[in-house]
Amino acid sequence: MATEVEYKFYVKASPDGKSLGDCPFTQRANLAFKLKGVRTTYILIDLKNKPKWYWSVNPAGSAPAVQFGDKVIGDSYEIVQYLDRTYPDPPLNPPGNKEAEEATGQVFSVFSAWAKNQDASKEAELLANFEAELDKVDKFIAKSPGAYLCGDAWAIADCVLVPRLYHLTTVARHFKKWNKFASYRSLTKYMDTAFSSKVFKETDYPAEWILEGWKKYFQ
């Protein structure tokens, strides 16, 4: 879809400062831009050493953020919602999207609680919570009428979930030495489909950068 609006997309820079960094929130918004066919101009931001001028663009100092005209949206979910309102084709909020977000919305926070845990006495409980959440997501996906959460096309819920799954699978396998994802068959099929899709490949980044971002929790 062509657009005459100029969108400046401020994103986390990669470790070498040359491309998109390992941010699931940036990827969430980027997926929506790509799905809508809306072009953007990437502006890379070093979040560890933010340029002074960026604070005048986005006083929160966070990324991603989108600037168009005199407006700035500094929340990735709000960016996705804005794009879906402004460019309704293809729709990203089909019937069932709210239910999909509710069913899958806790898996990343539950994973993070386990992954960042430093108390050995809580390890088993936190792992059990994570596995229970994976089972919940797996069962929801099994009921989907298509390859994605709400059918055969991406929805907002997918834009939120897929980048999170990329992070948690990468971190679980490498740092936690946990790799039982194959036992969640519907989830595995879903990830295979999403991770191999054109739009995901256009917005992803090397797994090594995810590990670089998470290693501080395992030192």
Side-chain angles (χ1 to χ4, degrees), residues 20-36 42 148 153-155 157-170 173 189-208 210:
L20 290 171
D22 59 307
C23 177
F25 304 104
T26 293
Q27 190 175 18
R28 171 192 301 179
N30 206 10
L31 283 165
F33 273 115
K34 297 295 185 182
L35 289 163
K36 296 293 186 177
Y42 293 127
Y148 292 96
W154 285 75
D158 300 292
C159 293
V160 172
L161 179 62
V162 171
R164 288 174 167 176
L165 291 174
Y166 184 29
H167 273 248
L168 72 82
T169 54
T170 301
R173 288 166 177 153
K189 184 177 180 181
Y190 172 80
M191 291 192 294
D192 288 345
T193 299
F195 293 164
S196 63
S197 67
K198 179 181 177 182
V199 71
F200 180 83
K201 292 180 178 180
E202 290 176 340
T203 61
D204 74 348
Y205 33 81
E208 290 79 8
I210 295 176

Side-chain angles (χ1 to χ4, degrees), residues 2-217:
T3 176
E4 296 180 356
V5 179
E6 179 185 4
Y7 291 100
K8 295 180 179 179
F9 190 19
Y10 299 91
V11 299
K12 178 183 179 181
S14 60
D16 62 8
K18 296 180 180 180
S19 58
L20 290 171
D22 59 307
C23 177
F25 304 104
T26 293
Q27 190 175 18
R28 171 192 301 179
N30 206 10
L31 283 165
F33 273 115
K34 297 295 185 182
L35 289 163
K36 296 293 186 177
V38 177
R39 291 179 294 178
T40 63
T41 299
Y42 293 127
I43 300 175
L44 304 176
I45 302 296
D46 180 354
L47 294 183
K48 294 181 180 179
N49 186 25
K50 299 170 189 173
K52 291 181 179 179
W53 58 261
Y54 186 56
W55 295 96
S56 64
V57 174
N58 181 15
S62 59
V66 169
Q67 182 182 32
F68 50 103
D70 60 354
K71 297 182 180 179
V72 175
I73 304 176
D75 178 86
S76 62
Y77 192 82
E78 291 179 8
I79 293 170
V80 175
Q81 290 182 312
Y82 162 79
L83 289 172
D84 200 46
R85 291 193 305 268
T86 307
Y87 306 96
D89 184 36
L92 294 180
N93 192 17
N97 181 74
K98 181 179 179 181
E99 291 78 6
E101 289 191 58
E102 291 174 348
T104 62
Q106 298 301 313
V107 66
F108 190 72
S109 61
V110 173
F111 165 75
S112 295
W114 170 57
K116 298 176 183 179
N117 174 52
Q118 300 294 321
D119 185 345
S121 68
K122 296 181 179 179
E123 184 72 7
E125 177 186 358
L126 293 172
L127 173 57
N129 291 344
F130 174 53
E131 292 177 335
E133 202 64 32
L134 286 178
D135 187 61
K136 176 183 174 183
V137 173
D138 183 67
K139 289 178 178 177
F140 183 86
I141 293 172
K143 298 187 294 183
S144 171
Y148 292 96
L149 293 175
C150 302
D152 284 322
W154 285 75
I156 293 176
D158 300 292
C159 293
V160 172
L161 179 62
V162 171
R164 288 174 167 176
L165 291 174
Y166 184 29
H167 273 248
L168 72 82
T169 54
T170 301
V171 173
R173 288 166 177 153
H174 182 84
F175 288 118
K176 302 296 285 187
K177 309 304 179 185
W178 188 95
N179 189 18
K180 298 181 180 179
F181 294 103
S183 61
Y184 304 92
R185 295 184 179 181
S186 295
L187 174 60
T188 296
K189 184 177 180 181
Y190 172 80
M191 291 192 294
D192 288 345
T193 299
F195 293 164
S196 63
S197 67
K198 179 181 177 182
V199 71
F200 180 83
K201 292 180 178 180
E202 290 176 340
T203 61
D204 74 348
Y205 33 81
E208 290 79 8
W209 296 351
I210 295 176
L211 300 178
E212 179 67 22
W214 278 80
K215 71 178 183 180
K216 61 187 176 184
Y217 300 111

